Amino acid sequence: MGCGKLTVMKDKACNIVFFDSDCLMCQGVVKWLHRLDEQDRLRFAPLQGESARRVGIALNEDSMAFYGRGELSRAALAVERLLIATGGVAALVGISMRACPLSLRNWCYRQIAKRRLTISKSLSCGIPEAGLKEKMLD
């Protein structure tokens, strides 16, 4: 049930995680999501890339966005929806996030997003892992 690179933007069944490709923390999150994505439900694209421009996503202080079911989500709602789309235990975490008000989740998300480049300075370089390249859109 994978999404092909050519049809991914037209297929509402495809789930795309847009991330800040300049941020090592964001790259780490993408690697973690790739490992969780056993059902091949996710594709990944940089916020600075062509796929993001086609969807109309502007790069701002948010470090990620999620495009799923033909709908674009930002901030904490993006995290919730991408975890649910991943399935398994990640979906349970995404569903449990709903217990906290969205305004509080967005505030927490923005605090991390604003500091992500400072936080990621202590992380190792973004070395690609096996199988992830095939899921990258641009």
Side-chain angles (χ1 to χ4, degrees):
M1 165 188 171
C3 298
K5 284 189 177 187
L6 298 176
T7 62
V8 73
M9 300 308 291
K10 296 177 185 166
D11 187 350
K12 291 189 178 187
C14 289
N15 300 299
I16 307 169
V17 178
F18 292 96
F19 66 101
D20 181 354
S21 62
D22 294 334
C23 171
L24 291 176
M25 186 170 105
C26 301
Q27 291 175 26
V29 169
V30 167
K31 289 178 184 179
W32 176 72
L33 289 169
H34 168 65
R35 284 184 226 121
L36 289 176
D37 186 27
E38 294 177 2
Q39 299 294 317
D40 195 34
R41 295 177 178 170
L42 301 178
R43 292 295 174 266
F44 304 95
L47 283 167
Q48 300 86 341
E50 184 58 35
S51 294
R53 279 190 287 283
R54 279 186 277 170
V55 174
I57 302 173
L59 180 62
N60 58 25
E61 72 178 32
D62 284 357
S63 56
M64 72 171 36
F66 179 68
Y67 180 83
R69 298 183 182 193
E71 198 174 315
L72 182 67
S73 304
R74 298 298 297 248
L77 190 57
V79 174
E80 172 192 315
R81 289 182 175 169
L82 75 87
L83 288 172
I84 292 170
T86 302
V89 175
L92 295 175
V93 173
I95 291 167
S96 69
M97 288 175 67
R98 293 176 177 166
C100 184
L102 183 59
S103 59
L104 179 59
R105 288 186 282 150
N106 278 333
W107 181 86
C108 292
Y109 178 91
R110 285 190 197 98
Q111 297 308 305
I112 294 168
K114 277 194 269 189
R115 294 166 178 80
R116 72 185 184 278
L117 298 176
T118 304
I119 294 168
S120 67
K121 284 182 182 178
S122 64
L123 300 174
S124 60
C125 67
I127 299 171
E129 35 180 77
L132 184 55
K133 184 177 180 181
E134 291 78 24
K135 290 184 164 192
M136 295 299 291
L137 296 178
D138 63 2

